[in-house]
């Protein structure tokens, strides 16, 4: 049997310190709250935001370091990918070729543009005796039928162009613009470039109505992130507050408690964001959800206090007596739930991705602020304002009926609960790590539609880059080196994930054929190093101003860059491909040929961080669980209660991830942190239920069955109300146009819904089963 010797004294000492001041000195409480908020608010002016996808990777991220090293070595940067579709016919009409040539020329003038490449300015080399001359594939001026047919035949037969600059059916062409940003102020640079591109596209769509344009690439990815941030702020926040307002108004049937709750919520969220400004936290698409999370959590604190207050008002108490009673029975649970929730979010410090660490810190500050405001400011406002609440004419009967059912069917519920828990949790094994940055956005977002189109018709954003090394300076011209590149290329081309491979080998073959009168039999690697070097030098000297080979070969001619364009697949499959490629290189090539740990790309970065995030969060989750259990044991003075609480606090998350495995099966960068987010939230329900159960056992000396009934009657309505509000709140978050935010909201909502079911149908039978073995610590 649970020992209840000192629970009442402990609770009384704790609550006395809390309600004496707000009830007896409400003006002092309001002054304290006003000064605290006033000190924090200037931090709002320090808030900055970013839509750069790179913020998801810390400065020590190994994949980011490798990616940056490759970018610096080959003078790379962000690339715009523009698709041009001929709605009728193909791209080889006189009008369409002229439009493509003009668009490519104008793309050179975009902000930050370093070069623009397309079918029109593809460098077609030809030789005259020992000299190499380079011309654009599509020359200026009107093109006759014969010339256009020759361009078409060459483009559709060229491995250099096919699937990269022209689709196999000739209906879609692409323009690729290299735009290395200064990165001095991305929030100005990205919109400037994206807006300039959209303006250019609008101009050409008006001039050439038979063509449709599609824009993708990293710049447009960052721009889409910025758009979704603004869209979520405009759409989700008002909807969450509207739902909270309606839900509370329907329950309390009085405007005053609703307005007081919304005031506490707004002050909590504002204080959290202001603190983020003081701490220098940069808001991202991930941290933008923190305000909604704080809002839903702060509502729970106020609801528990106001529901108990309303119950005492219904019983005939005056305003002060009712609030005194509410604080007496709720102060400890609200304190404990807030602290455990904060612990759950602070455990996000273990996350490998900085924005999720920031999310945890912002929410933790907001939760603790909500604790102070709900226990001190809310009661003070109730005392000072003419707050009235309508008494309920009919008692709420369902808590007693549900309690009777759980007591009567305890054994059946235990067995059924175990079966459901095991069945759902088994789905965890079906989850796989994977992200596709293009799929981070709702299909209604223009970037998502454009990227999907390009991925289906041409090479898109997804690629892996390999830096291949020669033995010495100038070695990229060595036939032995080129043969190694060719062998690797042949292996890559038969891999199911690969769409196209581009390397220095292709250029050497093309130049060798050019220098032999364009004889197809000479489309092979040169067999003389000096000759190959001369071909390459002559070709580079003949390139128009602005074009070079720096994006293919490094300055000392010892390293070349191989680009492997992938099909539209998730990052986990790209990571698996990368591992196979590295294994092949280790087995078939010398160490000096490939010195890095693997290929580099944004997709490789996302694949690595999703897995590391999940593993690191398991550590954080374990630490949080230990801290929360110890807190519950200490504050409730019961080792047994702390141990029993592990079950209802863990199984909702396990079942939710299992259900996710059955329904979706994909765990990305954001879902890796849901366990820590939901742990602090689901603990709230079990703490309130257990605290009321213990009060009945210790204060009223009730037996276990009657204690279960007491807990249901005292806290059941508040738990349902808060769970409904929390679930709906996170479901609203799942409406985000940004998948990372949307999936996090949906899985959290599922977890909260499962938590209330577990607390009502599984926790009571568990208490009845183990109550005899639980002992108080005193």
């Amino acid at each position: 049997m649970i020992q209840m010797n000192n629970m009442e004294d402990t609770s009384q000492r704790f609550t006395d310190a809390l309600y004496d001041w707000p009830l007896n000195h409400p003006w002092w409480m309001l002054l304290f709250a006003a000064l605290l908020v006033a000190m924090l608010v200037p931090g709002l002016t320090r808030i900055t935001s970013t839509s750069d996808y790179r913020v998801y990777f810390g400065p020590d991220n190994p994949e980011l370091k490798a990616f940056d090293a490759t970018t610096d070595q080959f003078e790379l940067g962000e690339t715009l990918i523009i698709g041009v579709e001929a709605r009728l016919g193909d791209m080889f009409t006189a009008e369409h070729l002229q439009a493509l040539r003009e668009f490519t020329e104008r793309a050179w003038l975009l902000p930050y543009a370093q070069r623009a490449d397309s079918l029109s300015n593809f460098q077609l080399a030809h030789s005259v005796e020992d000299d190499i001359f380079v011309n654009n594939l599509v020359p200026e001026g009107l093109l006759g039928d014969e010339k256009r047919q020759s361009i078409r035949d060459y483009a559709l037969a060229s491995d250099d162009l096919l699937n990269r600059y022209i689709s196999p059916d000739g209906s879609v062409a692409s323009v690729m613009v290299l735009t290395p940003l200064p990165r001095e102020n991305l929030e100005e640079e990205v919109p400037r470039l994206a807006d300039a591109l959209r303006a250019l596209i609008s101009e050409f769509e008006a001039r050439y109505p038979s063509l449709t344009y599609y824009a993708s690439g990293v710049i447009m990815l960052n721009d889409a992130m910025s758009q979704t941030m603004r869209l979520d702020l405009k759409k989700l926040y008002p909807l969450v507050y509207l739902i909270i307002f309606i839900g509370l108004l329907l329950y309390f049937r009085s405007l005053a408690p609703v307005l007081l709750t919304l005031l506490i919520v707004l002050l909590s969220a504002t204080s959290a964001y202001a603190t983020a400004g003081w701490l220098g936290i940069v808001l991202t698409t991930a941290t933008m959800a923190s305000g909604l999370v704080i809002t839903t959590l702060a509502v729970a604190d106020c609801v528990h206090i106001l529901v108990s207050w309303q119950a005492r008002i219904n019983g005939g108490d005056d305003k002060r007596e009712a609030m005194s009673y509410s604080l007496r029975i709720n102060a400890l649970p609200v304190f404990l739930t807030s602290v455990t929730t904060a612990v759950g979010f602070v455990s996000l410090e273990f996350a490998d991705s900085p924005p999720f660490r920031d999310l945890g810190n912002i929410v933790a500050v907001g939760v603790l602020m909500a604790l102070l405001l709900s226990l001190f400011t809310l009661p003070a406002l109730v005392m000072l304002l003419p707050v009235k609440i309508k008494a309920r004419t009919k008692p709420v009967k369902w808590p007693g009926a549900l309690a009777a059912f759980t007591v009567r069917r305890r054994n059946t519920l235990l067995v059924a609960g175990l079966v459901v828990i095991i069945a759902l949790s088994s789905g965890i094994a079906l989850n796989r790590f994977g992200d596709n940055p293009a799929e981070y956005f709702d299909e209604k977002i223009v970037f998502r539609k454009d990227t999907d189109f390009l991925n289906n018709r041409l090479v898109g954003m997804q690629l892996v880059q390999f830096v291949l090394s020669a033995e010495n300076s100038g070695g990229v011209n060595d036939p032995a080196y080129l043969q190694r590149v060719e062998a690797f290329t042949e292996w890559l081309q038969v891999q199911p994930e690969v769409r196209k491979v581009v390397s220095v080998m292709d250029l050497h073959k093309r130049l060798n054929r050019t220098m032999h009168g364009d004889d197809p039999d000479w489309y092979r690697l040169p067999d003389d190093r000096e000759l190959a070097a001369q071909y390459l030098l002559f070709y580079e000297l003949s390139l128009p101003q602005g074009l070079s080979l720096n994006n293919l070969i490094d300055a000392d001619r010892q390293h070349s860059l191989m680009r492997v364009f992938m099909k539209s697949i998730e990052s986990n499959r790209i990571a698996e491909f990368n591992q196979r490629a590295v294994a092949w290189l280790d087995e078939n090539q010398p160490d000096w040929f490939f010195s890095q740990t693997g290929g580099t790309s944004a997709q490789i970065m996302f694949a690595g961080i999703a897995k590391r995030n999940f593993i690191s969060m398991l550590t954080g989750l374990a630490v949080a669980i230990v801290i929360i259990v110890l807190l519950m044991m200490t504050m409730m003075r019961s080792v047994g209660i702390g141990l029993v609480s592990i079950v209802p606090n863990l199984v909702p998350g396990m079942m939710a991830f299992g259900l996710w495995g059955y329904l979706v099966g994909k765990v990305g960068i954001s879902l890796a942190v849901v366990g820590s987010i939901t742990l602090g939230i689901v603990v709230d329900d079990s703490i309130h239920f257990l605290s009321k159960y213990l009060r009945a056992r210790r204060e009223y000396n009730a037996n276990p069955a009657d204690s279960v009934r007491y807990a249901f009657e005292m806290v059941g309505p508040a738990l349902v109300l808060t769970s409904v509000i929390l679930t709906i709140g996170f479901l609203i978050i799942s409406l985000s146009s940004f998948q990372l935010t949307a999936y996090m909201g949906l899985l959290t909502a599922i977890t909260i819904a499962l938590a209330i079911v577990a607390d009502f149908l599984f926790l009571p039978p568990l208490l009845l089963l183990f109550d005899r073995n639980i002992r108080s610590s005193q």
Side-chain angles (χ1 to χ4, degrees):
M1 177 182 293
I2 300 176
Q3 300 293 325
M4 296 166 281
N5 298 338
N6 298 307
M7 181 61 182
E8 182 179 1
D9 291 340
T10 302
S11 178
Q12 191 63 49
R13 289 195 303 270
F14 182 78
T15 54
D16 281 348
L18 291 173
Y19 66 69
D20 278 351
W21 269 96
L23 299 182
N24 298 331
H25 307 282
W27 285 110
W28 284 107
M29 289 296 95
L30 293 184
L31 179 61
F32 170 77
L35 289 175
L36 179 60
V37 173
M39 290 173 59
L40 294 174
V41 163
L44 294 174
T45 62
R46 297 171 172 261
I47 290 179
T48 58
S49 64
T50 182
S51 56
D52 186 7
Y53 79 95
R54 293 165 61 97
V55 299
Y56 284 91
F57 310 94
D60 296 326
N61 182 280
E63 288 88 4
L64 177 61
K65 285 184 175 180
F67 181 74
D68 285 343
T70 301
T71 299
D72 294 341
Q73 185 175 6
F74 292 94
E75 300 181 10
L76 302 176
E78 294 81 0
T79 300
L80 288 172
I81 306 172
I82 302 101
V84 187
E85 180 190 24
R87 292 197 293 271
L88 295 175
D90 60 26
M91 289 298 302
F92 298 99
T93 67
E95 181 184 33
H96 292 167
L97 286 175
Q98 179 180 349
L100 182 63
R101 179 174 53 78
E102 291 179 359
F103 188 92
T104 304
E105 291 173 355
R106 291 285 298 279
W108 279 85
L109 304 178
L110 287 170
Y112 317 113
Q114 191 174 84
R115 63 183 292 166
D117 297 292
S118 73
L119 180 76
S120 67
N121 69 342
F122 178 76
Q123 300 305 293
L124 188 63
H126 65 279
S127 64
V128 178
E129 296 181 352
D130 291 333
D131 293 325
I132 292 179
F133 296 91
V134 179
N135 302 106
N136 292 341
L137 177 61
V138 181
E140 296 184 10
L142 296 177
L143 303 177
D145 293 342
E146 183 178 349
K147 180 61 176 177
R148 286 189 286 105
Q149 186 62 43
S150 68
I151 293 173
R152 188 181 196 280
D153 292 341
Y154 181 89
L156 297 182
S158 172
D159 288 339
D160 299 308
L161 296 174
L162 201 60
N163 287 320
R164 189 181 183 193
Y165 294 117
I166 191 71
S167 62
D169 63 359
S171 65
V172 182
S174 72
V175 181
M176 296 191 180
V177 188
L178 181 64
T179 54
L181 300 179
R183 291 190 169 273
E184 296 174 357
N185 187 347
L186 281 179
E187 297 314 296
E188 293 183 1
E189 296 164 6
V190 170
R192 181 189 176 198
L193 178 53
D195 290 343
L197 176 60
R198 281 190 283 264
L200 182 61
I201 287 175
S202 296
E203 176 189 336
F204 273 76
E205 284 181 333
R207 290 175 55 190
Y208 300 96
S210 60
L211 296 175
T212 302
Y213 293 79
Y214 304 86
S216 184
V218 170
I219 296 296
M220 304 312 291
L221 169 68
N222 288 339
D223 184 64
M225 285 186 174
S226 179
Q227 289 183 33
T228 56
M229 287 172 64
R230 294 193 297 268
L231 186 62
D232 285 352
L233 282 173
K234 181 179 179 181
K235 178 181 68 174
L236 300 186
Y237 274 78
L239 190 55
V240 168
Y241 280 97
L242 178 62
I243 293 298
I244 291 173
F245 180 84
I246 293 174
L248 293 177
L249 188 61
L250 289 175
Y251 184 85
F252 289 113
R253 298 183 298 170
S254 177
L255 190 59
V258 177
L259 295 179
L260 288 179
T261 299
L262 291 178
L263 176 63
I264 299 301
V265 167
L266 285 171
L267 290 177
S268 301
T270 300
S271 299
Y273 278 122
T275 302
W278 285 114
L279 295 176
I281 293 176
V282 179
L283 299 185
T284 63
T285 47
T287 56
M288 287 302 293
S290 57
L292 296 177
V293 176
I294 293 168
T295 295
T296 54
L297 293 172
V299 167
D301 291 345
C302 297
V303 164
H304 281 290
I305 293 172
L306 292 174
V307 165
S308 297
W309 176 64
Q310 181 191 46
R312 298 298 290 190
I313 293 288
N314 291 340
D317 286 357
D318 62 23
K319 186 166 60 174
R320 190 187 191 287
E321 290 173 340
M323 184 54 69
S324 175
Y325 175 82
S326 179
L327 288 175
R328 182 172 181 270
I329 67 170
N330 286 307
L332 178 61
V334 167
F335 173 81
L336 194 52
T337 57
S338 298
V339 172
T340 53
T341 298
V343 168
F345 279 96
V346 169
S347 71
L348 291 179
E349 279 293 325
F350 286 88
D352 200 57
S353 181
F356 293 103
R357 297 199 294 267
D358 294 337
L359 170 66
N361 292 328
I362 293 174
V363 175
V365 170
V367 167
L368 295 177
M369 193 67 183
L371 167 66
L372 292 175
L373 294 174
S374 60
L375 290 183
F376 292 93
T377 307
L378 179 62
L381 288 170
V382 170
M383 290 297 100
L384 292 174
L385 299 177
V387 178
K388 296 181 180 180
I389 195 164
K390 293 183 180 180
R392 292 184 176 273
T393 57
K394 296 181 180 180
V396 181
K397 296 181 179 180
W398 68 261
L402 184 57
F405 172 75
T406 58
V407 171
R408 186 171 63 254
R409 300 291 185 182
R410 68 185 76 174
N411 294 330
T412 302
L413 289 173
L414 269 178
V415 175
L418 287 172
V419 171
V420 171
I421 291 170
I422 293 172
L424 289 181
S425 300
S426 299
I428 293 176
L430 300 177
N431 286 303
R432 65 190 187 280
F433 298 104
D435 272 309
N436 185 341
E439 295 179 357
Y440 284 168
F441 304 91
D442 188 273
E443 293 181 357
K444 296 179 182 179
I445 300 296
V446 174
F447 169 79
R448 170 69 183 276
K449 292 189 292 186
D450 288 3
T451 301
D452 285 348
F453 175 85
L454 290 172
N455 284 338
N456 290 330
R457 303 297 296 275
L458 294 166
V459 296
M461 291 177 55
Q462 293 187 312
L463 80 159
V464 178
Q465 302 175 134
F466 294 93
V467 178
L468 305 178
S469 305
E471 286 189 276
N472 46 53
S473 178
V476 295
N477 300 312
D478 191 334
Y481 168 80
L482 294 173
Q483 288 167 8
R484 297 185 188 280
V485 176
E486 184 176 42
F488 187 35
T489 301
E490 291 174 350
W491 179 85
L492 289 168
Q493 288 173 334
V494 298
Q495 302 308 305
E497 303 92 345
V498 174
R499 173 169 286 181
K500 188 175 186 65
V501 182
V502 177
S503 71
V504 67
M505 178 200 71
D506 306 310
L507 179 58
H508 274 291
K509 285 184 175 182
R510 195 165 76 244
L511 291 176
N512 195 36
R513 179 183 61 190
T514 297
M515 295 304 296
H516 289 85
D518 288 327
D519 184 348
D521 291 338
W522 283 92
Y523 188 72
R524 60 177 187 259
L525 294 174
D527 53 11
D528 182 88
R529 174 170 175 164
E530 294 301 323
L531 195 60
Q534 290 180 19
Y535 290 168
L536 203 62
L537 177 62
F538 291 157
Y539 174 80
E540 190 166 16
L541 291 175
S542 302
L543 289 175
Q545 184 178 1
L547 293 180
S548 69
L549 297 179
N550 292 345
N551 64 337
L552 190 63
I553 306 170
D554 69 351
D556 64 1
R557 298 299 193 263
Q558 187 174 353
H559 307 87
S560 71
L561 183 68
M562 174 180 281
R563 294 184 181 89
V564 183
F565 293 92
M566 313 296 292
K567 297 177 181 178
S568 183
I569 56 178
E570 295 172 357
S571 57
N572 62 309
R573 289 189 58 194
I574 294 181
E576 292 169 0
F577 155 79
N578 185 42
Q579 292 174 354
R580 292 203 313 273
V582 172
W584 187 91
L585 288 167
D586 287 342
E587 183 177 349
N588 295 277
Q589 300 295 344
D591 293 341
W592 50 262
F593 183 69
F594 185 74
S595 58
Q596 295 184 1
T597 57
T600 64
S601 70
Q603 288 71 30
I604 295 293
M605 291 157 58
F606 276 104
I609 200 169
K611 188 172 184 178
R612 280 200 304 276
N613 234 23
F614 192 82
I615 294 173
S616 62
M617 287 317 304
L618 288 178
T619 303
L621 193 61
V623 172
I625 290 171
V626 172
I627 294 174
I628 289 172
V629 170
L630 291 175
L631 280 171
M632 294 185 70
M633 289 179 178
T634 302
M635 300 304 296
M636 292 189 175
R637 295 191 178 277
S638 174
V639 174
I641 284 293
L643 295 176
V644 168
S645 70
I646 295 176
V647 177
N649 293 336
L650 282 185
V651 296
M654 294 169 57
M655 290 191 293
F657 269 98
L659 184 61
W660 192 266
Y662 288 121
L663 298 178
V664 180
K666 182 174 70 173
V667 176
I669 184 176
S670 64
L671 294 192
V673 302
V674 168
S676 293
I677 291 175
T678 57
L679 177 64
I681 297 174
V682 300
V683 166
D684 291 8
D685 291 349
S686 61
I687 285 176
H688 281 285
F689 191 94
L690 290 170
S691 67
K692 302 305 184 290
Y693 178 86
L694 285 176
R695 176 172 293 276
R697 293 287 278 138
R698 293 171 173 170
E699 185 173 340
Y700 303 118
N701 200 28
N703 61 44
D706 289 339
S707 298
V708 166
R709 295 186 183 94
Y710 176 82
F712 267 106
E713 291 173 354
M714 291 300 297
V715 81
L719 289 184
V720 169
L721 180 59
T722 56
S723 295
V724 169
I725 290 176
L726 286 170
T727 301
I728 294 177
F730 280 100
L731 283 176
I732 291 173
I733 294 175
S734 74
L735 298 177
S736 171
S737 301
F738 191 59
Q739 188 194 73
L740 296 185
T741 303
Y743 275 9
M744 181 180 67
L746 180 57
L747 186 56
T748 302
I750 293 173
T751 306
I752 293 171
L754 291 172
I756 191 64
V757 174
D759 283 323
F760 277 178
L761 298 181
F762 191 71
L763 177 57
L766 198 65
L767 284 171
L768 295 174
L769 176 66
F770 289 104
D771 182 75
R772 72 192 68 175
N773 297 318
I774 297 175
R775 292 291 183 270
S776 172
S777 62
Q778 288 190 358

